[in-house]
């Protein structure tokens, strides 16, 4: 093991102390008994450095060639390299949710590879996800039935991040993969998309004595060496080995029949531990009652800084989010069910250690549904509760957005994560709702799946060792292995759509022809639900093997609606074309609540309605009205996305601008409006949600033409603007942000009263009516830096506080005519400071509260020479 040059002396000494157990214990790593089946064996000696956040280790991997042909090379996965690079496609908000301080790389470096005799082996990185895969040619081919030992020396850098692989604030979570591991083999070939194979383990792990180590299995022994402790672990048939390292967490133990559960949590979360233990008790008792007995079982539950889920099962460990139960009361039952699901998966693994991971996941989900019904009865789902409130934009965002944090906790049709961390399935990304069990249900019917599960569990109870695949084949009469293997190795990106529906009256009743087409590569069975006028529902199922499907129905009453995937459990990428006729929704995108401007002493109120087809982000009808410092306006607009990022608008508008100070009065006018907007990137639900979350397009170009049709005057107005916003992140919540706005207008309508310089969204040191003109420029710069990263205050479940950020800003601009627009002597300046408070509304929805104070510099108007105060949501830009 090499030590990097240039490190501080105390770090080098600490590393040498940590590495000492490796050299003392490494002598055990050369002898293995041959395994009768393909099951890799790992002997690992490793040490954790708190100072450098690294794991230094050496391992011996023993494996047997079970294929009928010689094996000339092996492949090793270096899982931490998944976090080596920043995904350039991900938004900054995704990294703020993942990395509490700033983007922090993880990495695994293999310093040497040897055979059992100590001879060096060569290795070559493969082009697979950030050099995560390493090919190791063997010195000689390993014949069928022969065994081989390979010794790997490695260093693992643990990233400072939330999730199932990372460390933050004295809490380290390692779901697996903190060591190099062998790629899986299937059909005598290496398969890089399958989960790791079940393996045997013997691990010596050293860490500072003030830390506790929680692992997949209880320790066999502990060895004290001064300020260090070394734990010995032994396990069999675990696909990976999970660890959690904490600063002496509180421990609570619960025994339910043969199951002993130990919950490790931070002392500050003691109030929430009771809810976790109560849920664990109820779920385990339910499992023992419905799934049958278990052998003596010990499982660990430990708090973790998760960000993609509330409960993630490792191997023998259930990692629980620190956000558990810090939510709105109505959501707590769904959090409880997420804990129960993770626990059921662990219990099924104990009961069925030979079974495949996807079967365990499916049985865990099925058990969760039964437990939910047993505890709460046939209660409405969260979607049912929220749908009546769907007119509120952020509720609509919760119901239909694909990128909302923790959305998969409440809705099954959520998309795959930004970074798919789960070591079981990270190679083959799976959407949370599109489970293999759901696809099998659509293929063979729900009754066949229930029969297969019942028959399978009956054989298990009788002491047999069945496989769920074999039971499915026997009961369905269909070999589903090719489809299951496809779903395990890739998640289809498909678009199912209703292509044609024709109806006619026939002698027997009503004949309806339904044509469904599929775009994309892959096979996925899909449900099609037709509904008659009399309320009768007719389910149809299509295997999805061909590119189209035609169904014929003869019904006593007409078919009024047809919907593809009504339960939203497929991986369909475009739900807009899934229903005939389309459903419509109404959003109140601007609530008509009055607002008092402290600076101008004026009441402002506005309202806006958006009419849209469900899942349609390309078209909309907007009705709005506003009364503010700059006047009154209202209109009806039709909007259509012409191409990506480009939107065209047609509307009828009423405008009554307020008369600026020392200017002639403006007469109200009705106009026809044509507009064009280019927004890069596209931001959904501009307006209320945009302001609430502080998400704005980086580049915005608008062009508009208004033609007056009232008052017998032929007045027109052409206006255009460019709005550029850029953010340069130094680390999370620590950034420099700039905005440049340029507006130009020509025409005879509302001459010289088209742009207003002041206000909370422009120059904050002046009121809006103070400076106006037919043209305007504005430059703003903000320096944002965190005051406190994790306030973590739970306000009765209504909000969970997050980061507190300070802002220093300066604005400069001018609103005038052509002659003075670019005259620097006419530019106004202000400086100010503000607070941004990041919270999670209801415990999971990201919102920003904003407070700003601005002071004008050398104001030409004496009345403006005072502080201006603003209270709002989101960033100013």
């Amino acid at each position: 093991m090499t030590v990097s040059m240039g490190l501080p002396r105390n770090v080098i000494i600490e590393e040498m102390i940590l590495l000492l157990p490796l050299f003392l214990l490494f002598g055990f790593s050369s002898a293995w008994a041959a395994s009768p089946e393909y099951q890799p064996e790992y002997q690992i000696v490793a040490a954790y450095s708190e100072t450098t956040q690294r794991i230094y280790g050496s391992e011996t991997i023993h494996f047997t060639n079970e294929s009928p042909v010689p094996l000339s090379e092996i492949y090793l996965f270096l899982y931490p390299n998944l976090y080596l690079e920043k995904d350039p496609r991900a938004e900054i908000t995704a990294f703020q949710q993942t990395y509490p301080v700033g983007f922090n790389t993880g990495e695994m470096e293999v310093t040497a590879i040897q055979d059992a005799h100590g001879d060096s082996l060569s290795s070559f990185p493969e082009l697979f996800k950030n050099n995560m895969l390493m090919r190791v040619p063997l010195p000689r081919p390993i014949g069928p039935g022969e065994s081989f030992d390979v010794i790997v020396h490695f260093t693992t850098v643990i990233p400072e991040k939330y999730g199932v692989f990372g460390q933050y604030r004295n809490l380290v979570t390692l779901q697996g993969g903190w060591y190099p591991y062998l790629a899986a083999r299937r059909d005598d070939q290496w398969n890089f998309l399958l989960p790791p194979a079940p393996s045997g383990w013997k691990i010596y792990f050293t860490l500072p004595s003030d830390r506790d180590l929680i692992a997949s299995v209880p320790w066999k022994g502990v060895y004290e060496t001064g300020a260090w402790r070394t734990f010995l672990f032994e396990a069999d048939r675990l696909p990976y080995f999970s660890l959690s390292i904490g600063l002496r967490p509180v421990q609570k133990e619960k025994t339910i029949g043969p199951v002993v559960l130990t919950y490790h949590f931070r002392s500050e979360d003691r109030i929430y531990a009771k809810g976790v233990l109560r849920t664990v008790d109820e779920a385990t008792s339910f499992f023992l009652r419905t799934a049958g007995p278990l052998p003596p079982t010990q499982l660990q539950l430990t708090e973790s800084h998760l960000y993609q889920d509330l409960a993630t099962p490792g191997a023998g460990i259930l990692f629980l989010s620190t956000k558990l139960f810090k939510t709105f009361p109505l959501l707590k039952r769904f959090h409880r069910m997420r804990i129960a699901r993770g626990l059921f998966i662990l219990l099924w693994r104990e009961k069925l250690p030979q079974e495949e991971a996807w079967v365990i996941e499916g049985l865990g989900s099925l058990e969760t549904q039964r437990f939910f019904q047993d505890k709460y009865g046939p209660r409405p789902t969260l979607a049912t509760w929220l749908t009546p409130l769907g007119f509120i934009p952020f509720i609509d965002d919760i119901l239909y957005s694909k990128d909302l944090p923790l959305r998969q906790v409440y809705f099954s049709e959520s998309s795959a994560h930004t970074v798919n961390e789960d070591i079981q399935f990270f190679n083959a990304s799976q959407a949370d709702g599109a489970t293999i069990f759901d696809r099998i249900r659509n293929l063979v019917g729900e009754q066949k799946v229930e029969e297969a599960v019942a028959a399978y569990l009956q054989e298990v109870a009788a002491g047999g060792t069945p496989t769920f695949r074999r039971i499915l084949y026997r009961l369905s009469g269909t070999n589903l292995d090719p489809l299951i293997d496809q779903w395990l190795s890739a998640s289809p990106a498909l678009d199912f759509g209703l292509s044609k529906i024709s109806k006619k009256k026939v002698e027997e009743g009503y004949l309806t022809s339904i044509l469904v087409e599929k775009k994309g590569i892959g096979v996925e069975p899909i449900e099609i639900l037709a509904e008659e006028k009399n309320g009768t529902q007719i389910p149809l199922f299509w295997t999805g093997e061909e590119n189209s499907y035609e169904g014929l129905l003869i019904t006593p009453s007409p078919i009024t609606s047809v919907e593809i995937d009504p339960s939203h459990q497929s991986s369909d990428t475009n739900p807009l074309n899934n229903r005939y006729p389309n459903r419509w929704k109404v959003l109140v995108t601007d609530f008509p609540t009055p607002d008092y401007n402290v600076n101008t002493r004026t009441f402002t109120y506005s309202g806006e309605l958006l009419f849209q087809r469900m899942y349609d982000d390309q078209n909309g009808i907007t009705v709005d009205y506003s009364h503010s410092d700059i006047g009154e306006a209202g209109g009806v607009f039709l909007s259509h996305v012409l191409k990506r990022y480009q939107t065209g608008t047609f509307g009828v508008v009423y405008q009554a601008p307020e008369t600026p100070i020392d200017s002639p009065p403006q007469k109200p006018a009705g106009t026809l409006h044509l507009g064009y907007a280019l927004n890069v990137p596209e931001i959904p639900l501009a307006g209320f949600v945009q302001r609430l979350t502080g998400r704005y397009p980086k580049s915005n170009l608008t062009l508009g033409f208004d033609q007056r049709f009232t008052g017998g005057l032929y007045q027109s107005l052409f206006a255009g603007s460019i709005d550029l916003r850029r953010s340069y992140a130094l680390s999370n919540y620590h950034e420099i942000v700039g905005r440049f706005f340029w507006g130009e207008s020509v025409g005879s309508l509302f001459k010289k009263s088209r742009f207003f310089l002041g206000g909370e969204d422009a120059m904050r040191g002046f009121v809006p009516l103070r400076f106006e003109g037919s043209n305007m420029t504005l430059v703003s710069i903000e320096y944002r830096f965190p005051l406190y990263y994790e306030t973590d205050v739970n306000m009765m479940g209504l909000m969970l506080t997050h980061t507190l950020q300070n802002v220093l800003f300066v604005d400069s601009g001018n609103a005038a005519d052509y002659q003075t627009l670019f005259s620097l002597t006419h530019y106004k300046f202000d400086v100010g400071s503000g607070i941004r408070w990041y919270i999670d509304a209801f415990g999971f929805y990201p919102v920003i509260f904003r407070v700003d104070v601005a002071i004008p510099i050398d104001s030409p108007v004496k009345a403006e020479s005072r502080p201006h105060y603003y209270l709002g949501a989101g960033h100013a830009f």
Side-chain angles (χ1 to χ4, degrees), residues 391-395 397 587-591 593 608 684-696 845 847 873-874:
F391 63 90
I392 303 174
F394 79 88
I395 297 294
D397 204 34
L587 300 179
V588 183
T589 52
D590 196 351
F591 284 86
T593 53
E608 183 178 87
L685 272 183
F688 181 82
V689 172
Q690 180 172 287
R691 292 194 301 271
L692 197 65
T693 59
R695 298 176 60 193
Y696 296 95
Y845 189 89
V847 175

Side-chain angles (χ1 to χ4, degrees), residues 1 18-27 45-47 56-58 204:
M1 184 72 61
L18 283 169
L19 291 175
L20 184 60
L22 302 183
F23 299 110
L24 293 176
L25 298 172
F26 191 69
V45 181
Y56 304 91
S58 298
Y204 284 87

Side-chain angles (χ1 to χ4, degrees), residues 519-554:
K519 296 180 181 178
I521 299 175
V523 176
E524 181 176 1
I526 203 82
E527 180 186 359
I528 305 164
L529 185 65
E531 185 170 346
E532 295 182 59
K533 187 176 182 179
N534 61 15
T536 302
Q537 293 184 335
I538 306 172
L540 304 172
F541 295 93
W542 174 32
T543 63
E545 296 182 18
E546 305 296 331
N547 290 327
S548 63
Y549 163 84
E550 185 172 9
L552 297 176
L553 296 175
I554 298 179

Side-chain angles (χ1 to χ4, degrees), residues 3-4 7 11-20 52 56:
V3 177
S4 300
L7 290 175
V11 175
I12 297 176
I13 292 174
E14 180 178 337
E15 291 184 5
M16 292 176 65
I17 294 174
L18 283 169
L19 291 175
L20 184 60
T52 62
Y56 304 91

Side-chain angles (χ1 to χ4, degrees), residues 232-446:
L232 169 63
F233 302 98
E234 293 182 355
D236 190 37
R237 293 204 62 82
L238 290 181
Y240 48 89
F241 202 87
S242 302
L243 296 176
S244 176
I245 302 173
L247 190 62
R248 292 299 170 99
V250 180
Q251 298 184 17
K252 292 289 185 180
E253 191 172 283
K254 194 82 174 177
T255 301
I256 305 103
V259 182
V260 178
L261 297 157
T262 305
Y263 181 35
H264 309 261
F265 56 91
R266 301 180 302 171
S267 58
E268 56 264 37
D269 290 332
R270 191 184 302 268
I271 188 174
Y272 308 108
K274 295 180 181 179
V276 173
L277 289 172
R278 184 165 53 251
T279 300
V280 165
D281 190 349
E282 294 172 351
T284 305
S285 300
F286 179 83
F287 183 91
L288 294 174
R289 187 169 69 248
T290 60
L294 278 171
T297 300
Q298 286 187 293
L299 298 178
Q300 309 285 332
L301 293 82
T302 180
E303 268 199 311
S304 301
H305 293 294
L306 303 179
Y307 74 100
Q308 291 182 336
D309 208 339
L310 292 169
T312 297
I317 296 180
L318 182 60
F319 298 106
L320 301 177
S321 170
T322 55
K323 291 184 176 182
L324 278 170
F325 299 130
K326 299 176 183 179
T327 59
F328 193 61
L330 289 178
L331 300 179
K332 285 183 170 58
R333 65 176 57 184
F334 298 95
H335 288 207
R336 292 188 180 100
M337 291 308 106
R338 207 62 183 184
I339 297 174
R341 178 181 179 275
L343 183 62
F344 290 149
I345 289 174
L346 294 184
L347 294 174
W348 278 118
R349 284 178 184 167
E350 293 292 325
K351 190 175 183 67
L352 306 170
Q354 311 287 337
E355 191 53 270
E356 296 179 81
W358 68 268
V359 178
I360 300 299
E361 296 268 344
L363 291 174
S365 297
L366 186 62
E367 198 76 19
T368 305
Q369 295 172 14
R370 294 170 177 170
F371 179 55
F372 189 95
Q373 292 176 357
D374 179 76
K375 184 172 177 60
Y376 298 111
R379 303 290 179 89
T381 64
L382 182 62
T384 305
W385 287 348
L386 292 181
T387 298
L389 302 175
F391 63 90
I392 303 174
F394 79 88
I395 297 294
D396 177 81
D397 204 34
I398 293 172
L399 287 168
Y400 303 112
S401 171
K402 291 294 185 182
D403 60 356
L404 192 67
L406 291 182
R407 187 177 189 280
Q408 67 274 17
V409 175
Y410 311 106
F411 301 97
S412 61
E413 73 272 20
S414 64
S415 59
H417 307 309
T418 303
V419 179
N420 192 6
E421 298 186 304
D422 192 332
I423 193 171
Q424 292 191 89
F425 299 112
F426 79 94
N427 288 336
S429 178
Q430 301 283 327
D432 190 70
T435 66
I436 293 178
F437 261 51
D438 292 325
R439 292 168 177 170
I440 293 175
R441 282 193 192 94
N442 290 340
L443 190 64
V444 301
E446 185 170 356

Side-chain angles (χ1 to χ4, degrees), residues 149-170:
D149 289 354
V150 59
I151 302 171
V152 184
H153 306 274
F154 64 91
T155 301
T156 297
V157 179
I158 305 172
E160 186 176 19
K161 63 180 289 294
Y162 295 150
V164 298
F165 194 93
Q167 52 84 19
Y168 181 62
R169 287 196 174 181
N170 297 317

